[in-house]
């Protein structure tokens, strides 16, 4: 059942219509928000314009024409291109314009973006999300936010539309990114370990289906283990969460661990498996394809 959301009358911009952005924008539109979209590959805007969105010609134009602009793109390079590039976000920022960065990137880039927006009189919030394709489509994401409190409050109806829970983690930009990286580091190690267990099961002559059934019945039963073991069994790797983004997140969490001298033996080992999977050509596949590296 759809959640009752009272949409803010503010004009909303959204940059990035990848797997995550597509679900998020559809939920903003369905709940009655006025949304202007932009995506690097303009063709992806088509379905959203059909669904009632306006289309911006570049990020600067979207920011200029909207009160709050969200962005959810691949990685730090994409964010920097989008914000600091030609006709980028910064060129559209004037006093009071609001910008919410929802991509998962390193905290230094997040802070640089926040400072650049503030320096031009804009207002900034970081808000990376926990959840992949299906929670994005169903408006069930967990939104982790830090930065300007009033902007967080102004995003209330948007966060209601996109997520099942939003958390404000303080004014210190970087806090939400740190939490997001820890969550995804944990998830990445769980899925890598599942992949090794399934590969090992096959090598020792067990039926992988039996192994997956036991996982689903016991204390290890959780959505990630259930869904990813099914994906491995069916060799179905259409991307819910692209493997290259998972590897990015583990890589970023290792850098974070480095900064604070936190040993991360398990995450470091999992990272190697994801790197191998990328090398085998599974970067665009779902994270469950890490099994291909474990079983190679
Ligand atoms: P996807 O489905 O891989 O989509 C990536 C999006 O980022 C897509 O809209 C891309 O545009 C866009 N992108 C990538 N590089 C650039 C550059 N250089 N400039 C502008 N736009 C760019 O990712 P997800 O939706 O799954 O994930 C998005 C974020 O949420 C990511 O940080 C995850 O870790 C969490 P394109 O369509 O290719 O033109």
């Amino acid at each position: 059942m759809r959640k009752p959301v009272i949409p803010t009358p503010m004009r909303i911009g959204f940059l990035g219509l990848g797997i995550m952005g597509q679900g998020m924008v559809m939920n903003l539109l369905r709940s009655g928000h006025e949304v202007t979209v932009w995506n690097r590959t303009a063709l992806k805007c088509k379905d959203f314009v059909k669904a009632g969105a306006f289309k911006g010609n570049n990020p600067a134009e979207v920011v200029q024409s909207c009160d709050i602009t969200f962005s959810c793109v691949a990685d730090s390079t994409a964010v920097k291109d989008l914000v600091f590039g030609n006709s980028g976000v910064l060129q559209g920022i004037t006093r009071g314009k609001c910008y919410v960065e929802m991509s998962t990137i390193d905290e230094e880039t997040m802070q640089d973006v926040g400072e650049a927006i503030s320096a031009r009189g804009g207002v900034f919030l970081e808000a990376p999300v926990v959840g992949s394709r299906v929670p994005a489509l169903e408006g069930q994401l967990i939104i982790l936010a830090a930065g300007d409190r009033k902007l967080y409050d102004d995003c209330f109806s948007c966060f209601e539309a996109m997520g099942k829970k939003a958390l404000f983690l303080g004014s210190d930009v970087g806090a939400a990114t740190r939490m997001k990286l820890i969550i995804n580091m944990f998830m990445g190690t769980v899925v890598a370990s599942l992949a090794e267990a399934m590969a090992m099961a096959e090598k020792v002559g067990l039926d992988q289906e039996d192994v997956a059934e036991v996982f689903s019945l016991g204390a290890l039963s959780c959505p990630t283990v259930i869904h990813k073991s099914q994906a491995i069994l069916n060799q179905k790797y259409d991307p819910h969460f692209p493997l290259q983004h998972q590897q990015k997140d583990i890589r970023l969490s290792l850098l974070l661990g480095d900064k604070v001298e936190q040993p991360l033996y398990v995450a470091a080992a999992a990272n190697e498996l994801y790197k191998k999977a990328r090398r085998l050509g599974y970067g665009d596949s779902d994270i469950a394809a890490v099994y291909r590296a474990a079983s190679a």
Side-chain angles (χ1 to χ4, degrees):
M1 210 183 62
R2 208 153 286 158
K3 292 172 284 185
V5 173
I6 301 169
T8 172
M10 285 190 262
R11 291 161 302 172
I12 304 301
F14 204 105
L15 311 173
L17 297 170
I19 292 173
M20 298 302 288
Q22 292 185 12
M24 292 152 100
V25 169
M26 273 307 173
N27 283 312
L28 287 171
L29 289 169
R30 276 188 202 123
S31 52
H33 291 88
E34 182 191 310
V35 188
T36 302
V37 294
W38 175 88
N39 191 66
R40 181 181 61 176
T41 308
L43 197 65
K44 290 190 191 169
C45 295
K46 215 171 137 197
D47 288 347
F48 299 89
V49 171
K50 251 193 222 158
F54 299 102
K55 182 175 170 294
N57 289 316
N58 55 56
E61 191 186 288
V62 174
V63 171
Q64 272 159 8
S65 65
C66 295
D67 302 303
I68 303 177
T69 300
F70 295 90
S71 147
C72 189
V73 291
D75 52 22
S76 304
T77 306
V79 167
K80 281 189 242 175
D81 283 356
L82 206 73
V83 174
F84 300 110
N86 275 341
S87 305
V89 168
L90 264 195
Q91 290 175 23
I93 294 283
T94 47
R95 182 150 297 281
K97 288 280 180 195
C98 298
Y99 183 67
V100 182
E101 184 54 72
M102 304 188 88
S103 315
T104 302
I105 56 173
D106 61 283
E107 66 171 331
E108 289 79 11
T109 303
M110 193 63 96
Q111 285 157 351
D112 288 350
V113 169
E115 279 164 22
I117 301 281
S118 304
R120 288 183 72 108
V123 186
F124 183 73
L125 190 73
E126 63 168 339
V129 296
V130 176
S132 54
R133 192 178 74 88
V134 174
L137 283 171
E138 294 180 347
Q140 293 292 309
L141 295 167
I142 304 163
I143 296 153
L144 309 172
D148 188 87
R149 175 73 211 206
K150 182 174 179 306
L151 175 52
Y152 173 79
D153 292 338
D154 287 344
C155 290
F156 179 80
S157 70
C158 297
F159 289 163
E160 282 265 296
M162 294 189 267
K164 64 176 172 189
K165 173 85 185 167
L167 284 94
F168 184 71
L169 301 170
S171 57
D172 160 31
V173 171
T177 290
R178 293 195 291 275
M179 181 173 311
K180 169 67 199 274
L181 290 179
I182 288 171
I183 306 287
N184 271 27
M185 176 185 79
F186 181 41
M187 192 177 70
T189 57
V190 168
V191 176
S193 182
L194 170 69
E196 279 192 349
M198 294 291 270
M200 169 106 154
E202 199 196 20
K203 294 263 163 54
V204 300
L206 294 171
D207 185 335
Q208 288 181 322
E209 219 161 311
D210 293 340
V211 177
E213 189 182 358
V214 176
F215 284 151
S216 75
L217 294 170
L220 283 169
S221 175
C222 69
T224 296
V225 170
I226 291 173
H227 294 148
K228 299 310 174 194
S229 57
Q230 285 307 312
I232 291 169
L233 277 179
N234 300 323
Q235 297 194 40
K236 228 175 147 276
Y237 301 126
D238 51 308
H240 288 256
F241 179 31
L243 188 143
Q244 63 194 350
H245 293 338
Q246 175 62 79
Q247 197 259 320
K248 153 185 73 77
D249 294 350
I250 294 208
R251 177 171 16 97
L252 294 178
S253 60
L254 291 174
L255 289 171
L256 190 59
D258 218 1
K259 251 171 58 179
V260 294
E261 299 177 1
Q262 168 64 43
L264 295 169
Y265 301 104
V266 179
N271 188 42
E272 297 305 312
L273 208 54
Y274 284 104
K275 271 161 59 183
K276 185 171 168 191
R278 280 183 64 187
R279 189 161 169 189
L280 291 173
Y282 293 104
D284 290 324
S285 304
D286 189 68
I287 53 167
V290 72
Y291 172 76
R292 288 295 172 89
S295 61

